[in-house]
Amino acid sequence: MRIMKNIKMSFVLSLSFLLALSACKKDIKEIGMPGSKVEGIKASWVLTKAIQVDELSLTKEAANIYGYFASSSKLPNITFTDTTYSVDTTGLDLNFFGAATGTWAFDDPEFPSTITFNPEGASSFELKLNGPIRPQDNLRLSKEVHKWCKGKATWAMSYNLEFKRN
């Protein structure tokens, strides 16, 4: 009698396990071709977050400096087209983009990690991308600030900026 109970219990447990295992099966969906990164960045963007990081600090101390920008009448913004950009930083002493207009390009159109900016009348520079460039994502950029000591550049500070589509 006891052996029959054990067999029945083993059967029920095995059946329960198999049912649970088959319920966990996931459907495989086609994700399609990856979207164009240029199409992902083409938009008007407005600043939503600004963090200044002390890269020389052992703990990488950070300060939220968004309030500095939010205290002005207009937040910094940038608009990208296929190859050009324009910014409005009227009234701000700190402009991360060099000039009001210019051209831009990804380092790699398929898998970009940086954007090269060529502002009109100023030297070109790069900003790192801190995330994907898709229509549903915010634009996250980093600007590295280096100091020169004995002819060698040292990474001293960075600005981590986040923009949302306007």
Side-chain angles (χ1 to χ4, degrees), residues 126-152:
E126 290 184 348
L127 295 181
K128 283 186 178 181
L129 287 167
N130 290 340
I133 300 294
R134 300 175 299 187
Q136 66 269 28
D137 295 320
N138 287 343
L139 175 62
R140 293 183 292 276
L141 302 170
S142 280
K143 180 177 180 83
E144 295 180 356
V145 179
H146 295 85
K147 70 174 188 169
W148 288 88
C149 183
K150 299 180 182 176
K152 182 180 176 193

mmCIF file with all atom_site columns, all heavy atoms in Angstrom, residues 126-152:
data_model
loop_
_atom_site.group_PDB
_atom_site.id
_atom_site.type_symbol
_atom_site.label_atom_id
_atom_site.label_alt_id
_atom_site.label_comp_id
_atom_site.label_asym_id
_atom_site.label_entity_id
_atom_site.label_seq_id
_atom_site.pdbx_PDB_ins_code
_atom_site.Cartn_x
_atom_site.Cartn_y
_atom_site.Cartn_z
_atom_site.occupancy
_atom_site.B_iso_or_equiv
_atom_site.pdbx_formal_charge
_atom_site.auth_seq_id
_atom_site.auth_comp_id
_atom_site.auth_asym_id
_atom_site.auth_atom_id
_atom_site.pdbx_PDB_model_num
ATOM 1   N N   . GLU A 1 126 ? 35.043 65.396 -29.968 1.00 0.00 ? 126 GLU A N   1
ATOM 2   C CA  . GLU A 1 126 ? 34.206 64.202 -29.881 1.00 0.00 ? 126 GLU A CA  1
ATOM 3   C C   . GLU A 1 126 ? 33.478 64.151 -28.556 1.00 0.00 ? 126 GLU A C   1
ATOM 4   O O   . GLU A 1 126 ? 34.017 64.569 -27.529 1.00 0.00 ? 126 GLU A O   1
ATOM 5   C CB  . GLU A 1 126 ? 35.054 62.937 -30.018 1.00 0.00 ? 126 GLU A CB  1
ATOM 6   C CG  . GLU A 1 126 ? 35.610 62.699 -31.393 1.00 0.00 ? 126 GLU A CG  1
ATOM 7   C CD  . GLU A 1 126 ? 36.365 61.384 -31.489 1.00 0.00 ? 126 GLU A CD  1
ATOM 8   O OE1 . GLU A 1 126 ? 36.653 60.752 -30.435 1.00 0.00 ? 126 GLU A OE1 1
ATOM 9   O OE2 . GLU A 1 126 ? 36.681 60.972 -32.611 1.00 0.00 ? 126 GLU A OE2 1
ATOM 10  N N   . LEU A 1 127 ? 32.275 63.591 -28.575 1.00 0.00 ? 127 LEU A N   1
ATOM 11  C CA  . LEU A 1 127 ? 31.526 63.271 -27.367 1.00 0.00 ? 127 LEU A CA  1
ATOM 12  C C   . LEU A 1 127 ? 31.206 61.780 -27.424 1.00 0.00 ? 127 LEU A C   1
ATOM 13  O O   . LEU A 1 127 ? 30.867 61.255 -28.488 1.00 0.00 ? 127 LEU A O   1
ATOM 14  C CB  . LEU A 1 127 ? 30.227 64.070 -27.265 1.00 0.00 ? 127 LEU A CB  1
ATOM 15  C CG  . LEU A 1 127 ? 30.352 65.584 -27.104 1.00 0.00 ? 127 LEU A CG  1
ATOM 16  C CD1 . LEU A 1 127 ? 28.970 66.216 -26.991 1.00 0.00 ? 127 LEU A CD1 1
ATOM 17  C CD2 . LEU A 1 127 ? 31.191 65.952 -25.900 1.00 0.00 ? 127 LEU A CD2 1
ATOM 18  N N   . LYS A 1 128 ? 31.345 61.108 -26.293 1.00 0.00 ? 128 LYS A N   1
ATOM 19  C CA  . LYS A 1 128 ? 31.037 59.682 -26.225 1.00 0.00 ? 128 LYS A CA  1
ATOM 20  C C   . LYS A 1 128 ? 29.538 59.472 -26.117 1.00 0.00 ? 128 LYS A C   1
ATOM 21  O O   . LYS A 1 128 ? 28.850 60.227 -25.438 1.00 0.00 ? 128 LYS A O   1
ATOM 22  C CB  . LYS A 1 128 ? 31.682 59.048 -24.990 1.00 0.00 ? 128 LYS A CB  1
ATOM 23  C CG  . LYS A 1 128 ? 33.135 58.788 -25.101 1.00 0.00 ? 128 LYS A CG  1
ATOM 24  C CD  . LYS A 1 128 ? 33.594 58.034 -23.873 1.00 0.00 ? 128 LYS A CD  1
ATOM 25  C CE  . LYS A 1 128 ? 35.058 57.697 -23.967 1.00 0.00 ? 128 LYS A CE  1
ATOM 26  N NZ  . LYS A 1 128 ? 35.496 56.948 -22.787 1.00 0.00 ? 128 LYS A NZ  1
ATOM 27  N N   . LEU A 1 129 ? 29.065 58.416 -26.768 1.00 0.00 ? 129 LEU A N   1
ATOM 28  C CA  . LEU A 1 129 ? 27.677 57.985 -26.613 1.00 0.00 ? 129 LEU A CA  1
ATOM 29  C C   . LEU A 1 129 ? 27.609 57.040 -25.418 1.00 0.00 ? 129 LEU A C   1
ATOM 30  O O   . LEU A 1 129 ? 28.388 56.098 -25.335 1.00 0.00 ? 129 LEU A O   1
ATOM 31  C CB  . LEU A 1 129 ? 27.195 57.257 -27.870 1.00 0.00 ? 129 LEU A CB  1
ATOM 32  C CG  . LEU A 1 129 ? 26.935 58.123 -29.081 1.00 0.00 ? 129 LEU A CG  1
ATOM 33  C CD1 . LEU A 1 129 ? 26.769 57.261 -30.326 1.00 0.00 ? 129 LEU A CD1 1
ATOM 34  C CD2 . LEU A 1 129 ? 25.703 58.964 -28.864 1.00 0.00 ? 129 LEU A CD2 1
ATOM 35  N N   . ASN A 1 130 ? 26.690 57.284 -24.518 1.00 0.00 ? 130 ASN A N   1
ATOM 36  C CA  . ASN A 1 130 ? 26.552 56.442 -23.328 1.00 0.00 ? 130 ASN A CA  1
ATOM 37  C C   . ASN A 1 130 ? 25.316 55.561 -23.400 1.00 0.00 ? 130 ASN A C   1
ATOM 38  O O   . ASN A 1 130 ? 24.753 55.203 -22.370 1.00 0.00 ? 130 ASN A O   1
ATOM 39  C CB  . ASN A 1 130 ? 26.487 57.302 -22.068 1.00 0.00 ? 130 ASN A CB  1
ATOM 40  C CG  . ASN A 1 130 ? 27.799 57.944 -21.754 1.00 0.00 ? 130 ASN A CG  1
ATOM 41  O OD1 . ASN A 1 130 ? 28.840 57.498 -22.210 1.00 0.00 ? 130 ASN A OD1 1
ATOM 42  N ND2 . ASN A 1 130 ? 27.764 59.017 -21.003 1.00 0.00 ? 130 ASN A ND2 1
ATOM 43  N N   . GLY A 1 131 ? 24.893 55.222 -24.585 1.00 0.00 ? 131 GLY A N   1
ATOM 44  C CA  . GLY A 1 131 ? 23.726 54.371 -24.745 1.00 0.00 ? 131 GLY A CA  1
ATOM 45  C C   . GLY A 1 131 ? 23.354 54.253 -26.204 1.00 0.00 ? 131 GLY A C   1
ATOM 46  O O   . GLY A 1 131 ? 23.925 54.913 -27.066 1.00 0.00 ? 131 GLY A O   1
ATOM 47  N N   . PRO A 1 132 ? 22.370 53.410 -26.479 1.00 0.00 ? 132 PRO A N   1
ATOM 48  C CA  . PRO A 1 132 ? 21.950 53.218 -27.870 1.00 0.00 ? 132 PRO A CA  1
ATOM 49  C C   . PRO A 1 132 ? 21.256 54.445 -28.440 1.00 0.00 ? 132 PRO A C   1
ATOM 50  O O   . PRO A 1 132 ? 20.780 55.303 -27.701 1.00 0.00 ? 132 PRO A O   1
ATOM 51  C CB  . PRO A 1 132 ? 20.983 52.034 -27.785 1.00 0.00 ? 132 PRO A CB  1
ATOM 52  C CG  . PRO A 1 132 ? 20.509 52.014 -26.377 1.00 0.00 ? 132 PRO A CG  1
ATOM 53  C CD  . PRO A 1 132 ? 21.603 52.595 -25.542 1.00 0.00 ? 132 PRO A CD  1
ATOM 54  N N   . ILE A 1 133 ? 21.206 54.505 -29.739 1.00 0.00 ? 133 ILE A N   1
ATOM 55  C CA  . ILE A 1 133 ? 20.531 55.583 -30.457 1.00 0.00 ? 133 ILE A CA  1
ATOM 56  C C   . ILE A 1 133 ? 19.361 54.953 -31.210 1.00 0.00 ? 133 ILE A C   1
ATOM 57  O O   . ILE A 1 133 ? 19.512 54.471 -32.323 1.00 0.00 ? 133 ILE A O   1
ATOM 58  C CB  . ILE A 1 133 ? 21.496 56.269 -31.454 1.00 0.00 ? 133 ILE A CB  1
ATOM 59  C CG1 . ILE A 1 133 ? 22.684 56.847 -30.742 1.00 0.00 ? 133 ILE A CG1 1
ATOM 60  C CG2 . ILE A 1 133 ? 20.774 57.345 -32.250 1.00 0.00 ? 133 ILE A CG2 1
ATOM 61  C CD1 . ILE A 1 133 ? 22.349 57.990 -29.820 1.00 0.00 ? 133 ILE A CD1 1
ATOM 62  N N   . ARG A 1 134 ? 18.219 54.910 -30.551 1.00 0.00 ? 134 ARG A N   1
ATOM 63  C CA  . ARG A 1 134 ? 16.995 54.411 -31.175 1.00 0.00 ? 134 ARG A CA  1
ATOM 64  C C   . ARG A 1 134 ? 15.894 55.432 -30.919 1.00 0.00 ? 134 ARG A C   1
ATOM 65  O O   . ARG A 1 134 ? 15.995 56.228 -29.993 1.00 0.00 ? 134 ARG A O   1
ATOM 66  C CB  . ARG A 1 134 ? 16.595 53.064 -30.566 1.00 0.00 ? 134 ARG A CB  1
ATOM 67  C CG  . ARG A 1 134 ? 17.663 51.992 -30.748 1.00 0.00 ? 134 ARG A CG  1
ATOM 68  C CD  . ARG A 1 134 ? 17.282 50.735 -30.050 1.00 0.00 ? 134 ARG A CD  1
ATOM 69  N NE  . ARG A 1 134 ? 17.141 51.000 -28.604 1.00 0.00 ? 134 ARG A NE  1
ATOM 70  C CZ  . ARG A 1 134 ? 16.950 50.067 -27.691 1.00 0.00 ? 134 ARG A CZ  1
ATOM 71  N NH1 . ARG A 1 134 ? 16.853 48.813 -28.048 1.00 0.00 ? 134 ARG A NH1 1
ATOM 72  N NH2 . ARG A 1 134 ? 16.837 50.376 -26.418 1.00 0.00 ? 134 ARG A NH2 1
ATOM 73  N N   . PRO A 1 135 ? 14.835 55.412 -31.711 1.00 0.00 ? 135 PRO A N   1
ATOM 74  C CA  . PRO A 1 135 ? 13.771 56.409 -31.522 1.00 0.00 ? 135 PRO A CA  1
ATOM 75  C C   . PRO A 1 135 ? 13.150 56.411 -30.126 1.00 0.00 ? 135 PRO A C   1
ATOM 76  O O   . PRO A 1 135 ? 12.656 57.427 -29.670 1.00 0.00 ? 135 PRO A O   1
ATOM 77  C CB  . PRO A 1 135 ? 12.741 56.017 -32.583 1.00 0.00 ? 135 PRO A CB  1
ATOM 78  C CG  . PRO A 1 135 ? 13.544 55.355 -33.650 1.00 0.00 ? 135 PRO A CG  1
ATOM 79  C CD  . PRO A 1 135 ? 14.641 54.625 -32.932 1.00 0.00 ? 135 PRO A CD  1
ATOM 80  N N   . GLN A 1 136 ? 13.194 55.308 -29.409 1.00 0.00 ? 136 GLN A N   1
ATOM 81  C CA  . GLN A 1 136 ? 12.590 55.252 -28.084 1.00 0.00 ? 136 GLN A CA  1
ATOM 82  C C   . GLN A 1 136 ? 13.565 55.614 -26.953 1.00 0.00 ? 136 GLN A C   1
ATOM 83  O O   . GLN A 1 136 ? 13.161 55.684 -25.801 1.00 0.00 ? 136 GLN A O   1
ATOM 84  C CB  . GLN A 1 136 ? 11.980 53.868 -27.820 1.00 0.00 ? 136 GLN A CB  1
ATOM 85  C CG  . GLN A 1 136 ? 12.994 52.737 -27.744 1.00 0.00 ? 136 GLN A CG  1
ATOM 86  C CD  . GLN A 1 136 ? 13.271 52.052 -29.069 1.00 0.00 ? 136 GLN A CD  1
ATOM 87  O OE1 . GLN A 1 136 ? 13.150 52.654 -30.121 1.00 0.00 ? 136 GLN A OE1 1
ATOM 88  N NE2 . GLN A 1 136 ? 13.649 50.789 -29.019 1.00 0.00 ? 136 GLN A NE2 1
ATOM 89  N N   . ASP A 1 137 ? 14.823 55.854 -27.267 1.00 0.00 ? 137 ASP A N   1
ATOM 90  C CA  . ASP A 1 137 ? 15.835 56.122 -26.239 1.00 0.00 ? 137 ASP A CA  1
ATOM 91  C C   . ASP A 1 137 ? 16.114 57.603 -26.068 1.00 0.00 ? 137 ASP A C   1
ATOM 92  O O   . ASP A 1 137 ? 15.936 58.388 -26.995 1.00 0.00 ? 137 ASP A O   1
ATOM 93  C CB  . ASP A 1 137 ? 17.163 55.438 -26.617 1.00 0.00 ? 137 ASP A CB  1
ATOM 94  C CG  . ASP A 1 137 ? 17.057 53.938 -26.641 1.00 0.00 ? 137 ASP A CG  1
ATOM 95  O OD1 . ASP A 1 137 ? 16.387 53.381 -25.756 1.00 0.00 ? 137 ASP A OD1 1
ATOM 96  O OD2 . ASP A 1 137 ? 17.625 53.328 -27.553 1.00 0.00 ? 137 ASP A OD2 1
ATOM 97  N N   . ASN A 1 138 ? 16.586 57.948 -24.874 1.00 0.00 ? 138 ASN A N   1
ATOM 98  C CA  . ASN A 1 138 ? 17.130 59.280 -24.647 1.00 0.00 ? 138 ASN A CA  1
ATOM 99  C C   . ASN A 1 138 ? 18.543 59.321 -25.210 1.00 0.00 ? 138 ASN A C   1
ATOM 100 O O   . ASN A 1 138 ? 19.195 58.288 -25.352 1.00 0.00 ? 138 ASN A O   1
ATOM 101 C CB  . ASN A 1 138 ? 17.141 59.624 -23.164 1.00 0.00 ? 138 ASN A CB  1
ATOM 102 C CG  . ASN A 1 138 ? 15.758 59.899 -22.625 1.00 0.00 ? 138 ASN A CG  1
ATOM 103 O OD1 . ASN A 1 138 ? 14.824 60.133 -23.363 1.00 0.00 ? 138 ASN A OD1 1
ATOM 104 N ND2 . ASN A 1 138 ? 15.617 59.866 -21.312 1.00 0.00 ? 138 ASN A ND2 1
ATOM 105 N N   . LEU A 1 139 ? 19.015 60.511 -25.499 1.00 0.00 ? 139 LEU A N   1
ATOM 106 C CA  . LEU A 1 139 ? 20.376 60.712 -25.999 1.00 0.00 ? 139 LEU A CA  1
ATOM 107 C C   . LEU A 1 139 ? 21.278 60.956 -24.798 1.00 0.00 ? 139 LEU A C   1
ATOM 108 O O   . LEU A 1 139 ? 21.081 61.898 -24.038 1.00 0.00 ? 139 LEU A O   1
ATOM 109 C CB  . LEU A 1 139 ? 20.418 61.913 -26.949 1.00 0.00 ? 139 LEU A CB  1
ATOM 110 C CG  . LEU A 1 139 ? 21.775 62.338 -27.483 1.00 0.00 ? 139 LEU A CG  1
ATOM 111 C CD1 . LEU A 1 139 ? 22.406 61.227 -28.317 1.00 0.00 ? 139 LEU A CD1 1
ATOM 112 C CD2 . LEU A 1 139 ? 21.640 63.605 -28.302 1.00 0.00 ? 139 LEU A CD2 1
ATOM 113 N N   . ARG A 1 140 ? 22.251 60.066 -24.592 1.00 0.00 ? 140 ARG A N   1
ATOM 114 C CA  . ARG A 1 140 ? 23.183 60.180 -23.463 1.00 0.00 ? 140 ARG A CA  1
ATOM 115 C C   . ARG A 1 140 ? 24.601 60.381 -24.002 1.00 0.00 ? 140 ARG A C   1
ATOM 116 O O   . ARG A 1 140 ? 25.090 59.563 -24.765 1.00 0.00 ? 140 ARG A O   1
ATOM 117 C CB  . ARG A 1 140 ? 23.082 58.940 -22.582 1.00 0.00 ? 140 ARG A CB  1
ATOM 118 C CG  . ARG A 1 140 ? 21.733 58.843 -21.874 1.00 0.00 ? 140 ARG A CG  1
ATOM 119 C CD  . ARG A 1 140 ? 21.642 57.664 -20.934 1.00 0.00 ? 140 ARG A CD  1
ATOM 120 N NE  . ARG A 1 140 ? 21.649 56.375 -21.605 1.00 0.00 ? 140 ARG A NE  1
ATOM 121 C CZ  . ARG A 1 140 ? 20.573 55.784 -22.116 1.00 0.00 ? 140 ARG A CZ  1
ATOM 122 N NH1 . ARG A 1 140 ? 19.415 56.376 -22.057 1.00 0.00 ? 140 ARG A NH1 1
ATOM 123 N NH2 . ARG A 1 140 ? 20.667 54.609 -22.688 1.00 0.00 ? 140 ARG A NH2 1
ATOM 124 N N   . LEU A 1 141 ? 25.212 61.486 -23.587 1.00 0.00 ? 141 LEU A N   1
ATOM 125 C CA  . LEU A 1 141 ? 26.545 61.862 -24.064 1.00 0.00 ? 141 LEU A CA  1
ATOM 126 C C   . LEU A 1 141 ? 27.475 62.121 -22.894 1.00 0.00 ? 141 LEU A C   1
ATOM 127 O O   . LEU A 1 141 ? 27.026 62.523 -21.815 1.00 0.00 ? 141 LEU A O   1
ATOM 128 C CB  . LEU A 1 141 ? 26.465 63.134 -24.912 1.00 0.00 ? 141 LEU A CB  1
ATOM 129 C CG  . LEU A 1 141 ? 25.569 63.113 -26.134 1.00 0.00 ? 141 LEU A CG  1
ATOM 130 C CD1 . LEU A 1 141 ? 25.420 64.511 -26.705 1.00 0.00 ? 141 LEU A CD1 1
ATOM 131 C CD2 . LEU A 1 141 ? 26.137 62.173 -27.180 1.00 0.00 ? 141 LEU A CD2 1
ATOM 132 N N   . SER A 1 142 ? 28.767 61.928 -23.112 1.00 0.00 ? 142 SER A N   1
ATOM 133 C CA  . SER A 1 142 ? 29.801 62.284 -22.134 1.00 0.00 ? 142 SER A CA  1
ATOM 134 C C   . SER A 1 142 ? 30.831 63.175 -22.790 1.00 0.00 ? 142 SER A C   1
ATOM 135 O O   . SER A 1 142 ? 31.280 62.902 -23.905 1.00 0.00 ? 142 SER A O   1
ATOM 136 C CB  . SER A 1 142 ? 30.538 61.045 -21.622 1.00 0.00 ? 142 SER A CB  1
ATOM 137 O OG  . SER A 1 142 ? 29.806 60.390 -20.654 1.00 0.00 ? 142 SER A OG  1
ATOM 138 N N   . LYS A 1 143 ? 31.189 64.223 -22.083 1.00 0.00 ? 143 LYS A N   1
ATOM 139 C CA  . LYS A 1 143 ? 32.265 65.103 -22.533 1.00 0.00 ? 143 LYS A CA  1
ATOM 140 C C   . LYS A 1 143 ? 33.407 64.954 -21.526 1.00 0.00 ? 143 LYS A C   1
ATOM 141 O O   . LYS A 1 143 ? 33.228 65.193 -20.337 1.00 0.00 ? 143 LYS A O   1
ATOM 142 C CB  . LYS A 1 143 ? 31.807 66.551 -22.588 1.00 0.00 ? 143 LYS A CB  1
ATOM 143 C CG  . LYS A 1 143 ? 32.916 67.490 -23.049 1.00 0.00 ? 143 LYS A CG  1
ATOM 144 C CD  . LYS A 1 143 ? 32.417 68.908 -23.165 1.00 0.00 ? 143 LYS A CD  1
ATOM 145 C CE  . LYS A 1 143 ? 33.506 69.844 -23.612 1.00 0.00 ? 143 LYS A CE  1
ATOM 146 N NZ  . LYS A 1 143 ? 33.704 69.866 -25.039 1.00 0.00 ? 143 LYS A NZ  1
ATOM 147 N N   . GLU A 1 144 ? 34.559 64.528 -22.021 1.00 0.00 ? 144 GLU A N   1
ATOM 148 C CA  . GLU A 1 144 ? 35.734 64.380 -21.169 1.00 0.00 ? 144 GLU A CA  1
ATOM 149 C C   . GLU A 1 144 ? 36.531 65.678 -21.182 1.00 0.00 ? 144 GLU A C   1
ATOM 150 O O   . GLU A 1 144 ? 36.732 66.274 -22.244 1.00 0.00 ? 144 GLU A O   1
ATOM 151 C CB  . GLU A 1 144 ? 36.606 63.229 -21.656 1.00 0.00 ? 144 GLU A CB  1
ATOM 152 C CG  . GLU A 1 144 ? 35.949 61.882 -21.544 1.00 0.00 ? 144 GLU A CG  1
ATOM 153 C CD  . GLU A 1 144 ? 36.829 60.749 -22.039 1.00 0.00 ? 144 GLU A CD  1
ATOM 154 O OE1 . GLU A 1 144 ? 37.943 61.010 -22.553 1.00 0.00 ? 144 GLU A OE1 1
ATOM 155 O OE2 . GLU A 1 144 ? 36.389 59.599 -21.929 1.00 0.00 ? 144 GLU A OE2 1
ATOM 156 N N   . VAL A 1 145 ? 36.982 66.087 -20.019 1.00 0.00 ? 145 VAL A N   1
ATOM 157 C CA  . VAL A 1 145 ? 37.818 67.287 -19.886 1.00 0.00 ? 145 VAL A CA  1
ATOM 158 C C   . VAL A 1 145 ? 39.190 66.830 -19.402 1.00 0.00 ? 145 VAL A C   1
ATOM 159 O O   . VAL A 1 145 ? 39.303 66.142 -18.389 1.00 0.00 ? 145 VAL A O   1
ATOM 160 C CB  . VAL A 1 145 ? 37.197 68.290 -18.885 1.00 0.00 ? 145 VAL A CB  1
ATOM 161 C CG1 . VAL A 1 145 ? 38.079 69.507 -18.736 1.00 0.00 ? 145 VAL A CG1 1
ATOM 162 C CG2 . VAL A 1 145 ? 35.786 68.684 -19.333 1.00 0.00 ? 145 VAL A CG2 1
ATOM 163 N N   . HIS A 1 146 ? 40.200 67.203 -20.163 1.00 0.00 ? 146 HIS A N   1
ATOM 164 C CA  . HIS A 1 146 ? 41.579 66.819 -19.826 1.00 0.00 ? 146 HIS A CA  1
ATOM 165 C C   . HIS A 1 146 ? 42.367 68.043 -19.372 1.00 0.00 ? 146 HIS A C   1
ATOM 166 O O   . HIS A 1 146 ? 42.120 69.153 -19.841 1.00 0.00 ? 146 HIS A O   1
ATOM 167 C CB  . HIS A 1 146 ? 42.272 66.176 -21.029 1.00 0.00 ? 146 HIS A CB  1
ATOM 168 C CG  . HIS A 1 146 ? 41.651 64.889 -21.445 1.00 0.00 ? 146 HIS A CG  1
ATOM 169 N ND1 . HIS A 1 146 ? 40.570 64.833 -22.295 1.00 0.00 ? 146 HIS A ND1 1
ATOM 170 C CD2 . HIS A 1 146 ? 41.931 63.611 -21.118 1.00 0.00 ? 146 HIS A CD2 1
ATOM 171 C CE1 . HIS A 1 146 ? 40.231 63.577 -22.478 1.00 0.00 ? 146 HIS A CE1 1
ATOM 172 N NE2 . HIS A 1 146 ? 41.042 62.813 -21.774 1.00 0.00 ? 146 HIS A NE2 1
ATOM 173 N N   . LYS A 1 147 ? 43.303 67.825 -18.471 1.00 0.00 ? 147 LYS A N   1
ATOM 174 C CA  . LYS A 1 147 ? 44.243 68.883 -18.099 1.00 0.00 ? 147 LYS A CA  1
ATOM 175 C C   . LYS A 1 147 ? 45.621 68.439 -18.567 1.00 0.00 ? 147 LYS A C   1
ATOM 176 O O   . LYS A 1 147 ? 45.905 67.248 -18.690 1.00 0.00 ? 147 LYS A O   1
ATOM 177 C CB  . LYS A 1 147 ? 44.222 69.148 -16.589 1.00 0.00 ? 147 LYS A CB  1
ATOM 178 C CG  . LYS A 1 147 ? 44.813 68.051 -15.744 1.00 0.00 ? 147 LYS A CG  1
ATOM 179 C CD  . LYS A 1 147 ? 44.874 68.448 -14.293 1.00 0.00 ? 147 LYS A CD  1
ATOM 180 C CE  . LYS A 1 147 ? 45.652 67.405 -13.507 1.00 0.00 ? 147 LYS A CE  1
ATOM 181 N NZ  . LYS A 1 147 ? 45.959 67.824 -12.184 1.00 0.00 ? 147 LYS A NZ  1
ATOM 182 N N   . TRP A 1 148 ? 46.457 69.416 -18.864 1.00 0.00 ? 148 TRP A N   1
ATOM 183 C CA  . TRP A 1 148 ? 47.795 69.126 -19.357 1.00 0.00 ? 148 TRP A CA  1
ATOM 184 C C   . TRP A 1 148 ? 48.805 69.351 -18.248 1.00 0.00 ? 148 TRP A C   1
ATOM 185 O O   . TRP A 1 148 ? 48.792 70.374 -17.572 1.00 0.00 ? 148 TRP A O   1
ATOM 186 C CB  . TRP A 1 148 ? 48.134 70.008 -20.553 1.00 0.00 ? 148 TRP A CB  1
ATOM 187 C CG  . TRP A 1 148 ? 47.366 69.581 -21.768 1.00 0.00 ? 148 TRP A CG  1
ATOM 188 C CD1 . TRP A 1 148 ? 46.131 69.996 -22.143 1.00 0.00 ? 148 TRP A CD1 1
ATOM 189 C CD2 . TRP A 1 148 ? 47.776 68.627 -22.721 1.00 0.00 ? 148 TRP A CD2 1
ATOM 190 N NE1 . TRP A 1 148 ? 45.736 69.367 -23.281 1.00 0.00 ? 148 TRP A NE1 1
ATOM 191 C CE2 . TRP A 1 148 ? 46.734 68.515 -23.673 1.00 0.00 ? 148 TRP A CE2 1
ATOM 192 C CE3 . TRP A 1 148 ? 48.912 67.852 -22.888 1.00 0.00 ? 148 TRP A CE3 1
ATOM 193 C CZ2 . TRP A 1 148 ? 46.808 67.655 -24.760 1.00 0.00 ? 148 TRP A CZ2 1
ATOM 194 C CZ3 . TRP A 1 148 ? 48.978 67.016 -23.986 1.00 0.00 ? 148 TRP A CZ3 1
ATOM 195 C CH2 . TRP A 1 148 ? 47.949 66.919 -24.892 1.00 0.00 ? 148 TRP A CH2 1
ATOM 196 N N   . CYS A 1 149 ? 49.669 68.373 -18.047 1.00 0.00 ? 149 CYS A N   1
ATOM 197 C CA  . CYS A 1 149 ? 50.724 68.465 -17.054 1.00 0.00 ? 149 CYS A CA  1
ATOM 198 C C   . CYS A 1 149 ? 51.976 67.824 -17.638 1.00 0.00 ? 149 CYS A C   1
ATOM 199 O O   . CYS A 1 149 ? 51.960 66.644 -18.002 1.00 0.00 ? 149 CYS A O   1
ATOM 200 C CB  . CYS A 1 149 ? 50.305 67.753 -15.768 1.00 0.00 ? 149 CYS A CB  1
ATOM 201 S SG  . CYS A 1 149 ? 51.512 67.900 -14.445 1.00 0.00 ? 149 CYS A SG  1
ATOM 202 N N   . LYS A 1 150 ? 53.030 68.605 -17.765 1.00 0.00 ? 150 LYS A N   1
ATOM 203 C CA  . LYS A 1 150 ? 54.303 68.130 -18.307 1.00 0.00 ? 150 LYS A CA  1
ATOM 204 C C   . LYS A 1 150 ? 54.131 67.509 -19.688 1.00 0.00 ? 150 LYS A C   1
ATOM 205 O O   . LYS A 1 150 ? 54.676 66.465 -20.010 1.00 0.00 ? 150 LYS A O   1
ATOM 206 C CB  . LYS A 1 150 ? 54.953 67.134 -17.346 1.00 0.00 ? 150 LYS A CB  1
ATOM 207 C CG  . LYS A 1 150 ? 55.274 67.731 -15.997 1.00 0.00 ? 150 LYS A CG  1
ATOM 208 C CD  . LYS A 1 150 ? 55.924 66.726 -15.078 1.00 0.00 ? 150 LYS A CD  1
ATOM 209 C CE  . LYS A 1 150 ? 56.172 67.373 -13.722 1.00 0.00 ? 150 LYS A CE  1
ATOM 210 N NZ  . LYS A 1 150 ? 56.703 66.453 -12.747 1.00 0.00 ? 150 LYS A NZ  1
ATOM 211 N N   . GLY A 1 151 ? 53.306 68.152 -20.511 1.00 0.00 ? 151 GLY A N   1
ATOM 212 C CA  . GLY A 1 151 ? 53.114 67.702 -21.883 1.00 0.00 ? 151 GLY A CA  1
ATOM 213 C C   . GLY A 1 151 ? 52.227 66.483 -22.042 1.00 0.00 ? 151 GLY A C   1
ATOM 214 O O   . GLY A 1 151 ? 52.117 65.932 -23.125 1.00 0.00 ? 151 GLY A O   1
ATOM 215 N N   . LYS A 1 152 ? 51.593 66.035 -20.963 1.00 0.00 ? 152 LYS A N   1
ATOM 216 C CA  . LYS A 1 152 ? 50.760 64.842 -21.035 1.00 0.00 ? 152 LYS A CA  1
ATOM 217 C C   . LYS A 1 152 ? 49.344 65.182 -20.588 1.00 0.00 ? 152 LYS A C   1
ATOM 218 O O   . LYS A 1 152 ? 49.143 65.836 -19.571 1.00 0.00 ? 152 LYS A O   1
ATOM 219 C CB  . LYS A 1 152 ? 51.339 63.745 -20.140 1.00 0.00 ? 152 LYS A CB  1
ATOM 220 C CG  . LYS A 1 152 ? 50.580 62.455 -20.187 1.00 0.00 ? 152 LYS A CG  1
ATOM 221 C CD  . LYS A 1 152 ? 51.206 61.419 -19.275 1.00 0.00 ? 152 LYS A CD  1
ATOM 222 C CE  . LYS A 1 152 ? 50.346 60.171 -19.293 1.00 0.00 ? 152 LYS A CE  1
ATOM 223 N NZ  . LYS A 1 152 ? 50.717 59.254 -18.233 1.00 0.00 ? 152 LYS A NZ  1
#
